Amino acid sequence: MPVIEVQRQQLPILDSPNQGARFYNPDLPSSEPFVPGHRTCAGCGPAIQYRMTSKASGDNTILVGPTGCMYVANSSYLCTPYNVPWAHTQIGSAGSFTAGVAAAYEAMIRKGKWKGTFPNIICEAGDGSASDIGLASISGALYRNHDCLIICYDNEQYANTGIQASSRTPYGGMTTFSPPGPKVPEAKTLYPKDLARMMAAGHPHCYVATASVGYPIDLMNKVRKGLNHRGAAYLMVYTPCQKGFVYETPRSIDLGRLVVECGLYPIWEWNPEKRAYDYSFRPQSMRPVSDYLKLQGRFGHLHAEHIANLQKFANEQWRMMGVELPEALSQAADVKNQVNMAAAAEAEVVAQTL
Amino acid sequence: MATTAISTKKKTVRMNGCVASAQAAKYADVDVITAYPIRPYTATMMALAQMVANGELDAEYIVADSEHSQLSIAHGASSSGARVFTGSSGVGVQFAYELYSPISGSRMPVQMMIADRTLDPPGDFGSEHTDALSTRDMGWLMGWACDAQEAFDNHLMAYRIGEDPRVLLPQMVCQDGFFVSHITTDVELPDPGQVKEFLPPYKHPYPLDPRHPVSHGPQIMPEQGPPLQLERARAMEGSMTVIEQVHDEFAQIFGRKYDPWVEEFMTDGAEVVFFMQGGHAVTARFAIQHLRDEGVKVGLVRLRTIRPYPTDRVNKVLSKFKVVGVIETNMGLGSVSSGGSLYAEACAALYESPQHPLVISFMAGMGGEAIVLKEFYWMTKKMMEAQKRGKIEKRTHWVGFEE
């Protein structure tokens, strides 16, 4: 039987001055694999991410959607927003279903049963799927190195089920499964699972990166690098959720930058060739975590000590990236320099939203 | 890697049920195989791994991280247009439970080989049909083989039936662990030309293909649910015609004629019959032959396809007898007979029969124990006593635990 060599796509990397924080780039493709008309909330971070990701990937793409917001709120029978093939799969099947699609195309192209260039196969898993129930399936797909990109759109909670804590929910984050109360004043007591690093450490042959909707060109370039990488790639993207985070709707992109500027969401790449982290991404400024926390109702209950704990956590992230810590941030980790969120004048607007 | 998938001509080779299943997958030229180890079906995947390593079969061989992943991989690959082969045993079948409805609901003709194994607790390698039977209402075509040759043939027929555009349903091709999966018998392997004639390449009408974008499995409103469920129910019901056609065509091409629904063995003039599935039927035939020699009017009706359930056929066949002894080989804890699950379905099929034979449920072959000849004799005695009395002693007998 004749064996046909599999042809693969190479997508160009976009020019990205200003850390890719610009919204407009003349080189962006005009295709829109993810079109309007879905039922996501106004300002939905995951949906913004979805549009950028699929735009970067183009039309020769297959999308896999494990259960999550990007399944439930996007897809309605007879009017789905996907201009490319898309399939729902179970919440625990993110990596495995995607692996099946990739394996099918490898075999079908090789055996002459499907003619064409190997498609971009992208899985859009929420953080519940990616960090909890589907973790093993994703690890399996990365380990076996199927030619696909698995994205964790990280809104730090199970959102479509009504805001429940996931392994990615930050310390102090209020959800319906981690409410604050007199016995547990900080709400979520655990720190988030370091998911992306776990994927890089455990699957060093894969391209692994973190990104944020606050830096759209950077995000799109990482999507393309992941797709261009021959084999499996993993991308974890910060995608704020207005409903769960409780913030003013137009501020999704602001939060996407602030979370990075506050050191709570380190942006990096794992280079599988060099087997090394690349920490060269630097936000334009560094800020105390309170600048980020005070915009969100989910942190409105935090006391001074909890904010100090989060600052300590952020400072550790900066150190891990080899960034020299400004004195102000070290001091912000001291509880004496913090006030309860309820007493912070800047948080008032959000308190009223709640 | 240039390979010739099939270079053999028709030949008879000695092999066990597991290897026969692997051979069937090879003859079907499957594109994606996904494996996860659990006894006893593992031997099928071992055989396939070797075929791929030898270059005898060009397929993606994926060692999954769990049975749940195995079935998800199969679902994804089948959705993309590939012919898929997977399998499992015992608790492995159940670990993947979530996927059975999504796969049949999305109408993907995934094929799964089952070599039965008793469910835990405690760990027991022996065969019991509860593993696959627990999924029987999930929209998968399902039936049991009683030997390696039948297993081989069932795999080819199941692909042909499941991939038929009038059906598009996944298939569970079952065989008893050990009694079929690990017992070596002669298997006639066909000429590749025969398989080519019988089984056309898989072509799903709506695969995940970037050139023809489709969405699979979007959210629906409650009122959109019933029509989709009705479609799936109709596909299952409509498969009955296709199943009969495919069995006829199989007989024409390969020369082996199976009744798609039930095998009747020495039922002429029989007054009491065993009604059962799977490998223990081989022992049953032997016991019946012996009893017939002694003048006992006993026969065997072996169910070959349980999904779709051949209700009318079962009614027609079983109505001919005075007593039906259902051999369960499965657990239906707290069910109608407080025994196994076959009893209730046999009784339901007989409900509209004017004859109403007496029905007894025998819990035999449990935990992977062989059903030995003297147990068949004992069960026959129970059926004859019921016939004489005109009444059953009780609904369920645990064979080996009573006098």
Side-chain angles (χ1 to χ4, degrees):
Chain A
M1 222 183 285
V3 173
I4 296 155
E5 203 191 326
V6 180
Q7 303 296 323
R8 291 168 213 272
Q9 307 180 69
Q10 279 296 317
L11 299 163
I13 300 302
L14 301 161
D15 184 30
S16 60
N18 195 14
Q19 299 293 17
R22 224 164 60 173
F23 289 95
Y24 177 71
N25 185 314
D27 298 331
L28 280 182
S30 59
S31 78
E32 293 284 2
F34 180 71
V35 296
H38 44 78
R39 294 175 288 121
T40 61
C41 312
C44 171
I48 296 169
Q49 171 276 142
Y50 217 121
R51 182 180 172 216
M52 293 172 186
T53 298
S54 55
K55 210 170 174 50
S57 175
D59 293 330
N60 189 18
T61 297
I62 297 173
L63 297 168
V64 175
T67 310
C69 279
M70 292 296 95
Y71 164 52
V72 176
N74 270 342
S75 72
S76 318
Y77 186 48
L78 303 177
C79 59
T80 68
Y82 313 105
N83 255 346
V84 293
W86 168 91
H88 166 242
T89 187
Q90 307 313 110
I91 185 166
S93 304
S96 40
F97 189 98
T98 312
V101 176
Y105 272 92
E106 296 282 357
M108 292 191 303
I109 296 173
R110 193 171 68 222
K111 293 166 91 170
K113 294 183 179 180
W114 190 83
K115 288 169 187 68
T117 308
F118 193 85
N120 292 323
I121 297 165
I122 301 177
C123 174
E124 286 271 3
D127 54 290
S129 170
S131 71
D132 294 332
I133 192 168
L135 180 61
S137 84
I138 293 174
S139 172
L142 297 180
Y143 164 70
R144 295 187 302 264
N145 210 20
H146 299 280
D147 201 355
C148 64
L149 169 65
I150 293 171
I151 293 176
C152 166
Y153 62 90
D154 184 11
N155 59 11
E156 305 187 328
Q157 65 206 346
Y158 292 84
N160 96 77
T161 44
I163 320 300
Q164 286 84 29
S166 81
S167 302
R168 284 293 305 158
T169 303
Y171 168 85
M174 177 184 69
T175 71
T176 57
F177 278 5
S178 62
K183 286 265 187 193
V184 192
E186 71 270 56
K188 180 94 184 298
T189 56
L190 302 168
Y191 286 82
K193 190 180 279 184
D194 201 345
L195 188 61
R197 260 182 231 277
M198 186 174 164
M199 293 310 188
H203 318 87
H205 55 281
C206 297
Y207 172 81
V208 180
T210 62
S212 164
V213 288
Y215 303 90
I217 306 293
D218 177 68
L219 164 61
M220 285 189 260
N221 276 342
K222 282 171 175 164
V223 167
R224 288 187 164 181
K225 283 182 192 175
L227 292 169
N228 290 348
H229 173 72
R230 169 76 198 277
Y234 186 84
L235 190 55
M236 191 171 83
V237 190
Y238 175 84
T239 55
C241 167
Q242 193 277 334
K243 270 197 154 52
F245 295 8
V246 193
Y247 59 86
E248 292 170 287
T249 304
R251 306 207 67 170
S252 298
I253 300 295
D254 285 351
L255 283 182
R257 300 221 182 132
L258 283 169
V259 74
V260 177
E261 291 173 352
C262 293
L264 287 169
Y265 216 92
I267 300 294
W268 49 258
E269 284 178 287
W270 169 260
N271 185 324
E273 279 77 39
K274 293 183 187 155
R275 301 274 155 135
Y277 286 101
D278 179 344
Y279 292 126
S280 58
F281 185 99
R282 288 278 183 276
Q284 282 169 302
S285 55
M286 289 168 74
R287 298 163 181 271
V289 293
S290 50
D291 280 7
Y292 169 70
L293 304 177
K294 70 191 178 190
L295 297 177
Q296 301 169 63
R298 64 170 171 161
F299 295 116
H301 58 282
L302 293 187
H303 298 172
E305 59 179 293
H306 310 136
I307 300 168
N309 285 342
L310 277 163
Q311 187 63 57
K312 275 182 210 136
F313 175 77
N315 291 354
E316 280 164 29
Q317 305 294 316
W318 287 124
R319 278 191 208 100
M320 227 185 302
M321 290 192 288
V323 177
E324 206 183 319
L325 209 60
E327 183 55 27
L329 294 188
S330 301
Q331 282 178 8
D334 188 338
V335 67
K336 292 201 293 287
N337 300 325
Q338 295 290 355
V339 291
N340 290 357
M341 202 54 96
E346 306 96 306
E348 255 174 42
V349 182
V350 180
Q352 282 163 9
T353 318
L354 266 178
Chain B
M1 186 177 63
T3 59
T4 308
I6 300 152
S7 59
T8 54
K9 295 281 169 200
K10 185 171 162 177
K11 60 186 178 186
T12 298
V13 183
R14 202 154 277 194
M15 64 183 73
N16 63 31
C18 275
V19 175
S21 294
Q23 282 290 347
K26 176 180 143 182
Y27 274 83
D29 188 27
V30 295
D31 302 311
V32 176
I33 298 162
T34 166
Y36 186 85
I38 183 167
R39 279 186 237 218
Y41 106 104
T42 324
T44 299
M45 291 302 175
M46 285 154 55
L48 282 165
Q50 194 63 57
M51 288 173 193
V52 172
N54 291 351
E56 295 166 41
L57 169 64
D58 186 3
E60 288 286 301
Y61 185 93
I62 303 176
V63 182
D65 45 280
S66 70
E67 288 90 358
H68 187 280
S69 284
Q70 235 186 321
L71 269 286
S72 303
I73 290 166
H75 190 193
S78 186
S79 303
S80 307
R83 182 172 284 158
V84 185
F85 185 81
T86 187
S88 198
S89 294
V91 289
V93 178
Q94 303 218 307
F95 194 86
Y97 206 108
E98 185 190 12
L99 277 305
Y100 297 123
S101 182
I103 290 173
S104 73
S106 58
R107 310 289 296 279
M108 292 304 158
V110 168
Q111 187 170 113
M112 184 171 188
M113 178 271 194
I114 308 282
D116 299 297
R117 174 173 171 172
T118 308
L119 298 176
D120 292 354
D124 176 350
F125 293 137
S127 176
E128 204 176 278
H129 299 173
T130 322
D131 51 3
L133 278 180
S134 69
T135 73
R136 67 188 179 278
D137 294 331
M138 293 294 115
W140 288 54
L141 306 172
M142 184 184 286
W144 264 260
C146 75
D147 58 33
Q149 179 74 64
E150 191 182 5
F152 179 91
D153 295 345
N154 283 356
H155 283 291
L156 291 186
M157 287 192 277
Y159 269 127
R160 175 70 195 280
I161 296 159
E163 292 174 1
D164 189 295
R166 293 168 288 176
V167 180
L168 291 176
L169 285 174
Q171 319 104 44
M172 262 190 211
V173 183
C174 311
Q175 56 180 265
D176 282 83
F178 300 99
F179 299 116
V180 178
S181 75
H182 282 64
I183 286 182
T184 301
T185 54
D186 279 346
V187 174
E188 188 188 291
L189 297 176
D191 184 279
Q194 290 174 289
V195 179
K196 213 173 165 187
E197 190 189 342
F198 176 72
L199 185 64
Y202 170 48
K203 200 163 168 38
H204 198 278
Y206 306 107
L208 296 171
D209 182 343
R211 283 176 299 217
H212 309 282
V214 285
S215 291
H216 287 185
Q219 282 270 311
I220 56 167
M221 301 307 285
E223 66 270 22
Q224 293 167 325
L228 291 173
Q229 304 294 48
L230 179 62
E231 287 264 307
R232 184 158 39 155
R234 279 183 178 156
M236 185 53 93
E237 224 178 295
S239 72
M240 297 187 97
T241 319
V242 180
I243 289 170
E244 287 177 357
Q245 285 170 2
V246 168
H247 277 75
D248 284 345
E249 209 174 306
F250 185 88
Q252 278 164 24
I253 295 173
F254 297 91
R256 279 184 298 281
K257 173 82 186 152
Y258 295 97
D259 184 310
W261 313 113
V262 291
E263 172 207 339
E264 286 191 62
F265 180 81
M266 295 195 126
T267 51
D268 285 345
E271 291 176 347
V272 302
V273 288
F274 290 110
F275 183 60
M276 62 195 296
Q277 307 191 97
H280 294 296
V282 176
T283 325
R285 286 185 201 139
F286 194 82
I288 288 164
Q289 220 142 19
H290 178 79
L291 288 165
R292 279 286 179 141
D293 290 345
E294 296 190 348
V296 181
K297 292 173 179 170
V298 60
L300 164 71
V301 177
R302 178 171 68 94
L303 189 63
R304 289 193 69 252
T305 304
I306 191 166
R307 286 294 178 274
Y309 197 87
T311 311
D312 293 335
R313 186 65 193 284
V314 169
N315 177 314
K316 199 171 154 210
V317 171
L318 295 186
S319 289
K320 297 188 289 188
F321 313 107
K322 299 280 185 282
V323 185
V324 175
V326 179
I327 299 181
E328 298 283 359
T329 324
N330 75 84
M331 289 280 269
L333 293 167
S335 65
V336 174
S337 61
S338 204
S341 56
L342 295 189
Y343 169 90
E345 298 197 344
C347 286
L350 280 168
Y351 185 75
E352 285 156 23
S353 161
Q355 279 85 15
H356 272 290
L358 300 173
V359 184
I360 308 170
S361 172
F362 290 114
M363 296 300 279
M366 305 303 293
E369 281 236 301
I371 309 177
V372 295
L373 288 176
K374 67 172 185 190
E375 288 177 337
F376 278 104
Y377 304 152
W378 185 85
M379 290 188 278
T380 307
K381 193 181 85 187
K382 286 287 167 194
M383 288 198 284
M384 287 166 68
E385 284 169 9
Q387 185 191 357
K388 205 167 153 191
R389 206 186 297 121
K391 197 171 158 228
I392 59 166
E393 181 189 339
K394 56 180 176 178
R395 285 195 197 97
T396 295
H397 293 277
W398 277 78
V399 179
F401 293 87
E402 296 174 25
E403 284 302 309

